């Protein structure tokens, strides 16, 4: 009797263990610990689950909806089969679609977000903190990347903060095989992931964190196998597991990728158009798996990433530097191990490396990242000193979801250096809350002078379903420097209170959900904050986001903002004053504070089978940084994504901004960036692309608009009207059968449109000023 009672109690708290071929593992029934069969065979990846081996696989069913409403059964059923051999893990996916059409295109890698797709999450270190992500669309087109758990994602948008699960970083590419096809019931996909493509634990028998997410475009919903609540500080922390993984062949991981690049640059010269035909550059990268969880990588003359120019971006606030993401394959590999709050490690600081080595992985509960690089001496102040970079990142697991991190960076050139040390942590508690804490110090020697500075951040988050919040306090002292990292605006102290209130409709209702966002945001110069002075920038935003059935989203906002005069930004400004016949210059002191009120409207369409789009329109009174005055502003940002066929994609965007003076309605300045990108996917490995972008900027003769109306002088020169218009075009042929093996053939050109001599705010036809041809070939050699 006692043994029977004990067995009954045990069965109530321990999920049942299934044997291969038995009833399915239902996520909704809490059967989240999967015994995966190990089979001494392989399967042909052809998109058809008809081989006998699939009948022996573990079967996963019982998906739940995650968005727009979590905790309810999925409307469309999904079945996932899983088994493994000594060398790879296999997944078979049957996605049943009874309520709408399947969205599927022949897409390039990582371009399947607008298709129906299934994403597989493999947390190979069983730590609920990081995972590989492998995604496929119905034809087997691939996306892949990594996730480092930083809590449920809260993205600041023009119409308030939007809460969602943390999104993967898709910059890394891994070798895996997939094939899919449409069926009468929906679609079917086969996936094979070699163990050589993964880092995992160095133990004989192991468990991996595991989940599957399915995006369904016709309903704009997402389902997951392991039920996940949005009111939880961690998406990965709610995963199931793949258990009893054993007998994995620990083959030597040794990859080599030789690469040759050739770039020929043309420009107009005294004797006409001429080309600089430089010699081809040869380089190579290699990876050596010291263990199954530690990877040593090296590179010499790594390949460039110039297959597409960085998209043009408006400088909304000239006090903030612009951030551009890393694109080079060597620096992207293992990039998740170098993530530091505040971007204190930013590998694009290494501009043209002669060589670099890197160690990344996880051992004994500690994530390890080490990078050492030597940059081209021509980039040094003297033009002949080597530039050395060393970066270290360590993170230690604490408890179920928390971690403690340490980072150190060092940049040396000649007798100068910049050194930064950082300690940070993420603490998860109470089932709903997380806190991020960070403190860093820097020491910089430049020109014989040594300065020291500090940086700090405290971030408290609540991830409740109906009420969420984000409270932030952080900043840096004026002398804090990071020459191996990226800080958008130094020497400020920032405080923010962001409260979100959400309501969710029932399934099938016209309204899926409504979120009210209340944001209070103040920025001080740190020196003024220490003196208990007034904030320089003060913002209060009220935003309302409404999600409608089918994927429509409408947002509205009202911004009340004030900006204080920034002495540093206008240090080079003077006023040309004329009194009678006397002309002299006086300091520009500006108006102490500018009062603004803006209105925002946003609209997002569903991801229809052939198109999707977004629209943002902002208008009202805003700061005119050209002249430090209040202006009437119009800002438009629109995107349109067309998929007229399964192989053709046309993506267009337009950003437009103008400033009209409030005194007389004249245009102080405007910016505009239209961009079009066309891609045609000939085969899964081959595509062609054309990109065209115009970047235009113009301003009137600048004046002291808020006070005297006298002309402005900037850095000793009168600020006269200026107009620029630049066109950048790229053509690319790409052959990429697998990550690491690529052939790129490309052409790019730039042209200027000179200002019209007869019409104000008009231009002459575009005139080409430079162009270039480039070739890149690399080959992955996997041993």
């Amino acid at each position: 009797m006692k043994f029977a009672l004990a067995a009954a109690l045990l069965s109530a708290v321990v999920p049942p263990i299934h044997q291969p071929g038995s009833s399915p593992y239902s996520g909704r029934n809490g059967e989240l610990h999967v015994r995966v069969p190990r089979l001494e065979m392989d399967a042909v990846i052809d998109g058809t689950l008809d081989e006998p081996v699939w009948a022996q696989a573990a079967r996963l069913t019982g998906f739940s909806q995650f968005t727009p409403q979590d905790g309810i059964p999925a409307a469309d059923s999904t079945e996932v089969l899983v088994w493994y051999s000594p060398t790879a893990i296999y997944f078979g996916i049957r996605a049943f679609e009874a309520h709408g059409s399947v969205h599927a295109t022949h897409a390039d890698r990582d371009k399947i977000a607008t298709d129906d797709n299934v994403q597989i999450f493999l947390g190979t270190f069983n730590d609920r903190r990081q995972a590989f992500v492998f995604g496929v669309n119905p034809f087997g087109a691939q996306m892949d990347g990594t996730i480092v758990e930083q809590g449920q994602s809260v993205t600041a948008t023009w119409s308030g903060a939007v809460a969602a699960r943390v999104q993967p970083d898709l910059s890394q590419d891994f070798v895996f095989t997939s094939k899919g096809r449409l069926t009468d019931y929906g679609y079917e996909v086969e996936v094979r992931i070699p163990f050589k493509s993964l880092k995992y634990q160095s133990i004989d028998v192991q468990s991996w964190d595991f989940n599957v997410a399915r995006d369904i475009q016709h309903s704009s919903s997402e389902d997951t196998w392991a039920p996940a609540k949005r009111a939880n500080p961690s998406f990965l922390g709610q995963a199931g597991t793949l258990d009893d993984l054993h007998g994995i062949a620990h083959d030597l991981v040794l990859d080599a990728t030789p690469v040759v690049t050739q770039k020929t640059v043309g420009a107009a010269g005294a004797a006409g158009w001429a080309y600089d035909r430089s010699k081809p550059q040869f380089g190579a990268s290699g990876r050596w798996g010291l263990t199954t969880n530690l990877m040593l990588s090296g590179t010499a003359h790594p390949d460039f990433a110039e297959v597409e120019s960085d998209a043009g971006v408006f400088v909304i606030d000239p006090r903030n530097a612009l951030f551009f993401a890393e694109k080079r394959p060597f620096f992207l590999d293992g990039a998740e191990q170098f993530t530091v709050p505040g971007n204190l490690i930013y590998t694009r600081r290494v501009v043209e490396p002669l060589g670099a080595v890197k160690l990344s992985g996880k051992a004994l509960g500690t994530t390890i990242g080490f990078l050492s690089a030597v940059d081209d001496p021509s980039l040094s102040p003297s033009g002949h000193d080597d530039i050395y970079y060393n970066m270290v990142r360590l993170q230690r697991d604490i408890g179920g979801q928390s971690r403690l991190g340490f980072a150190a960076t060092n940049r040396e050139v000649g007798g100068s250096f910049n050194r930064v040390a950082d300690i940070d942590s993420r603490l998860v508690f109470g089932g709903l809350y997380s806190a991020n804490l960070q403190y860093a110090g820097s020491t910089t020697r430049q020109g014989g002078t040594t300065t020291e500075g500090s940086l700090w951040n405290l971030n408290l988050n609540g991830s409740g379903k109906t009420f969420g919040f984000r409270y932030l306090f952080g900043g840096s002292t004026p002398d804090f420097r990071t020459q191996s990292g990226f800080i958008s605006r130094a020497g400020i102290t920032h405080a923010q209170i962001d409260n979100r209130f959400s309501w969710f409709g029932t399934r099938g209702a016209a309204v899926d959900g409504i979120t009210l966002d209340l944001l209070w945001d103040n920025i001080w110069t740190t020196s003024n904050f220490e003196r208990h002075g007034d904030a320089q920038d003060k913002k209060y935003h009220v935003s309302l986001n409404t999600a409608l059935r089918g994927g429509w989203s409408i947002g509205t906002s009202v911004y009340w903002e004030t900006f204080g005069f920034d002495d540093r930004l206008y240090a080079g400004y003077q006023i040309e004053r004329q009194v009678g016949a006397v002309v002299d210059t006086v300091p520009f002191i500006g108006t102490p504070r500018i009062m603004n009120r803006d209105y925002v409207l946003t609209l997002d369409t569903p991801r229809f089978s052939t198109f999707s789009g977004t629209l943002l329109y902002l208008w009202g009174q805003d700061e005119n940084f050209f002249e430090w005055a209040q202006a009437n502003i119009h800002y438009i940002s629109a995107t349109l994504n067309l998929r007229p066929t399964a192989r053709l994609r046309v993506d267009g965007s337009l950003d437009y901004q103008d400033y009209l003076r409030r005194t007389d309605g004249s245009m102080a300045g405007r910016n505009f960036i239209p961009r079009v990108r066309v891609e045609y996917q000939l085969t899964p490995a081959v595509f062609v692309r054309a990109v065209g972008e115009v970047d235009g900027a113009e301003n009137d003769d600048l004046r002291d608009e808020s006070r005297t109306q006298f002309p402005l002088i900037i850095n000793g020169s009168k600020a006269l009207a200026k107009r620029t218009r630049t066109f950048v075009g790229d053509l690319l042929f790409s052959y990429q059968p697998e990550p690491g093996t690529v052939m790129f053939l490309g052409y790019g050109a730039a042209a200027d449109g000179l200002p019209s001599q007869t019409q104000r705010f008009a231009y002459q036809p575009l005139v080409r000023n430079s162009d270039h041809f480039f070739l890149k070939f690399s080959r992955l050699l996997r041993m």
Side-chain angles (χ1 to χ4, degrees):
M1 183 67 180
K2 292 181 179 179
F3 291 111
L5 180 60
L9 291 173
L10 186 63
S11 65
V13 297
V14 178
I17 300 296
H18 292 250
Q19 297 298 324
S22 67
S23 58
Y25 293 86
S26 170
R28 286 198 57 77
N29 292 340
E31 298 163 348
L32 303 179
H33 301 282
V34 182
R35 289 281 297 276
V36 186
R38 181 183 183 277
L39 305 174
E40 295 281 350
M41 59 183 68
D42 288 315
V44 177
I45 305 302
D46 57 7
T48 302
L49 299 171
D50 58 357
E51 294 180 83
V53 65
W54 291 108
Q56 303 179 59
R59 187 158 60 100
L60 283 59
T61 61
F63 279 59
S64 300
Q65 190 177 105
F66 180 65
T67 59
Q69 176 73 281
D70 60 5
I72 62 176
D76 297 286
S77 61
T78 308
E79 180 179 273
V80 177
L81 307 176
V82 56
W83 59 278
Y84 70 103
S85 73
T87 58
I89 188 166
Y90 293 80
F91 296 94
I93 299 160
R94 293 190 178 105
F96 296 85
E97 182 55 82
H99 300 92
S101 61
V102 174
H103 294 193
T105 62
H106 297 281
D108 189 28
R109 195 180 202 95
D110 297 335
K111 306 287 179 58
I112 64 173
T114 54
D115 294 337
D116 285 302
N117 65 82
V118 173
Q119 300 172 37
I120 299 166
F121 300 84
L122 293 178
T124 55
F125 291 107
N126 195 211
D127 59 6
R128 304 296 179 101
R129 294 170 175 84
Q130 57 184 317
F132 293 94
V133 183
F134 298 91
V136 289
N137 79 353
F139 291 142
Q142 299 178 353
M143 63 168 278
D144 50 357
T146 58
I147 285 181
V148 176
E149 187 65 88
Q150 299 292 336
Q152 298 285 45
S153 174
V154 179
T155 303
T157 70
W158 287 92
S159 55
V162 177
R165 71 170 172 86
V166 62
Q167 294 300 304
D169 176 0
L170 302 180
S171 58
Q172 297 186 64
D173 294 331
F174 305 102
V175 176
F176 72 106
T177 308
S178 58
K179 186 75 173 179
R181 64 188 181 95
L182 300 179
T183 66
D184 293 339
Y185 60 78
Y187 61 94
E188 193 169 280
V189 186
E190 284 183 301
V191 179
R192 179 184 186 272
I193 303 173
F195 292 126
K196 277 191 173 185
S197 294
L198 305 171
K199 298 188 188 84
Y200 51 91
Q201 306 155 74
S202 293
I203 56 178
D204 293 333
V205 180
Q206 50 192 285
S207 294
W208 292 359
D209 304 329
F210 177 74
N211 207 347
V212 180
R214 177 184 171 190
D215 282 347
I216 303 167
Q217 300 300 341
H218 75 82
S219 61
S220 293
S221 61
E222 182 178 42
D223 302 335
T224 61
W225 170 68
K229 296 180 179 179
R230 299 171 74 175
N232 189 294
S234 171
F235 176 77
L236 296 181
Q238 303 177 76
T241 58
L242 302 180
D243 294 328
D244 195 30
L245 299 173
H246 63 279
I248 297 174
H250 294 177
D251 295 334
L252 174 67
V253 177
L254 185 58
D255 296 345
T257 308
V259 59
V260 57
T261 59
Q262 167 71 54
K263 189 171 184 179
T264 302
V265 179
W273 203 266
Y275 285 95
D276 176 11
R277 295 178 176 85
S278 59
K279 293 181 179 179
Q281 175 176 294
F282 295 90
S285 297
R287 300 193 315 151
W288 175 27
L290 300 176
T291 66
T292 60
N293 56 352
L294 284 176
M295 188 71 65
L296 180 64
S297 306
T299 186
H301 297 287
D303 58 311
F304 57 78
E306 299 163 359
V307 295
E308 182 179 352
S309 302
D310 289 317
V313 181
F314 282 167
V315 180
I316 301 293
D317 187 336
R319 298 169 296 179
N320 296 326
L322 295 178
F323 179 89
F324 293 97
E326 178 64 86
K327 296 181 180 180
R328 295 167 293 182
F330 173 80
F331 292 102
L332 291 173
D333 183 35
E336 73 277 8
Q337 315 294 357
F338 293 88
T339 302
V340 183
N343 295 311
L344 293 185
I345 291 180
Y346 179 52
T347 54
R348 277 188 74 148
R349 294 295 187 201
V350 187
V351 181
E352 295 182 15
L354 302 179
V357 294
K358 179 168 57 176
L359 177 69
S360 62
K362 186 168 186 176
L364 302 175
T366 301
T367 299
I368 302 168
F370 170 74
L371 172 66
S372 183
V374 181
D375 217 352
D376 195 302
S378 64
L379 301 171
S380 68
S382 67
H384 57 75
D385 289 321
D386 288 330
I387 307 171
Y388 297 96
Y389 289 88
N390 289 286
M391 309 175 190
V392 177
R393 176 61 168 161
L394 304 174
Q395 296 182 80
R396 178 72 181 178
D397 298 344
I398 302 174
Q401 284 294 124
S402 302
R403 62 156 178 81
L404 179 66
F406 169 79
T409 64
N410 181 34
R411 178 187 185 272
E412 295 197 20
V413 52
S416 301
F417 62 79
N418 170 251
R419 295 167 184 164
V420 177
D422 159 90
I423 186 168
D424 58 86
S425 66
R426 178 173 185 261
L427 307 176
V428 179
F429 56 95
L432 293 175
Y433 309 105
S434 64
N436 298 295
L437 301 93
Q438 179 183 28
Y439 182 82
S442 72
T443 301
T444 305
R445 179 184 294 169
Q446 191 78 36
T449 302
T450 301
T451 58
E452 295 182 345
S454 59
L455 172 146
W456 65 94
N457 280 297
L458 170 62
N459 189 336
L460 180 64
N461 299 278
S463 55
K465 183 174 182 179
T466 58
F467 172 67
F469 62 82
R470 181 173 184 261
Y471 303 150
L472 178 150
F473 177 72
S476 64
T477 60
D479 289 329
F480 182 82
R481 301 284 185 273
T482 171
Q483 296 174 0
S484 303
F486 177 88
I487 293 182
S488 178
R489 185 177 172 188
I492 62 170
T493 297
H494 184 197
Q496 183 183 97
I497 297 175
D498 189 0
N499 292 315
R500 304 183 308 280
F501 304 88
S502 300
W503 172 85
F504 298 92
T506 58
R507 172 177 283 171
V511 177
D512 283 333
I514 299 174
T515 297
L516 172 67
D517 188 82
L518 305 177
L519 173 70
W520 174 91
D521 191 296
N522 276 13
I523 294 177
W524 296 257
T525 61
T526 298
S527 56
N528 203 38
F529 180 83
E530 292 172 345
R531 295 193 299 266
H532 306 286
D534 195 16
Q536 186 174 80
D537 303 344
K538 303 178 182 180
K539 302 177 184 179
Y540 182 64
H541 298 175
V542 178
S543 304
L544 191 69
N545 255 299
T546 303
L548 303 178
R549 182 177 57 207
W552 292 92
S553 177
I554 299 174
T556 57
S557 300
V558 180
Y559 295 174
W560 290 271
E561 302 177 341
T562 71
F563 290 81
F565 184 73
D566 192 326
D567 295 313
R568 294 176 297 178
L569 182 62
Y570 296 98
Y573 276 54
Q574 293 176 304
I575 298 172
E576 182 183 82
R577 182 178 63 179
Q578 181 172 359
V579 180
V582 179
V583 178
D584 64 355
T585 59
V586 295
F588 177 72
I589 60 174
T591 300
R593 187 164 289 278
I594 293 177
M595 309 290 291
N596 297 331
R597 184 172 67 218
D598 298 306
Y599 306 93
V600 181
L601 175 66
T602 62
L603 175 66
D604 295 338
T605 75
R607 292 170 177 170
F608 295 111
S609 59
T610 56
F611 79 93
S612 60
T614 66
L615 173 65
L616 160 70
Y617 177 45
L618 179 148
W619 73 100
Q621 293 78 50
D622 210 276
E623 71 278 5
N624 164 15
F625 279 110
F626 294 103
E627 300 169 322
W628 187 248
Q630 189 185 68
N632 293 324
I633 185 175
H634 301 89
Y635 177 81
I636 297 173
S637 180
T639 65
L640 180 62
N641 308 112
L642 301 176
R643 296 172 292 281
T645 73
R647 299 185 183 275
L648 178 63
R649 292 174 179 242
V650 182
D651 299 327
S653 65
L654 170 65
D655 289 301
Y656 174 88
Q657 180 183 47
D658 63 29
Y659 298 90
L660 304 178
R661 296 186 178 102
R662 303 207 74 198
T663 55
D664 58 9
S666 62
M667 184 176 291
R670 69 175 174 179
N671 303 284
F672 51 91
I673 305 177
R675 180 181 176 90
V676 176
R677 171 168 147 166
V678 180
E679 288 187 357
Y680 191 82
Q681 197 77 31
L682 284 81
T683 72
V686 178
F687 77 85
V688 291
R689 180 178 69 209
V691 180
E693 175 183 291
V694 175
D695 193 336
E698 51 194 40
N699 61 265
D700 198 3
D701 295 344
L702 301 185
R703 65 197 191 200
D704 184 17
E705 166 69 9
S706 62
R707 297 175 62 252
T708 67
Q709 303 298 309
F710 287 138
L712 291 178
I713 295 173
I714 303 177
N715 297 325
S717 300
K718 196 168 182 177
L720 300 178
K722 181 171 58 177
R723 297 183 293 280
T724 62
R725 183 179 60 159
T726 301
F727 170 81
V728 176
D730 292 317
L731 296 174
L732 177 70
F733 170 85
S734 170
Y735 171 66
Q736 188 172 9
E738 63 178 355
T741 298
V742 301
M743 182 178 72
F744 293 141
L745 293 174
Y747 171 77
D752 289 331
L754 300 176
S756 171
Q757 303 301 314
T758 59
Q759 291 182 294
R760 191 176 182 82
F761 294 122
Y763 299 89
Q764 299 177 19
L766 290 166
V767 177
R768 183 178 55 146
N769 58 46
S770 67
D771 66 356
H772 64 271
F773 298 88
F774 67 85
L775 163 70
K776 169 184 171 181
F777 176 78
S778 66
R779 168 76 175 177
L780 173 65
L781 305 175
R782 173 157 281 189
M783 306 172 194

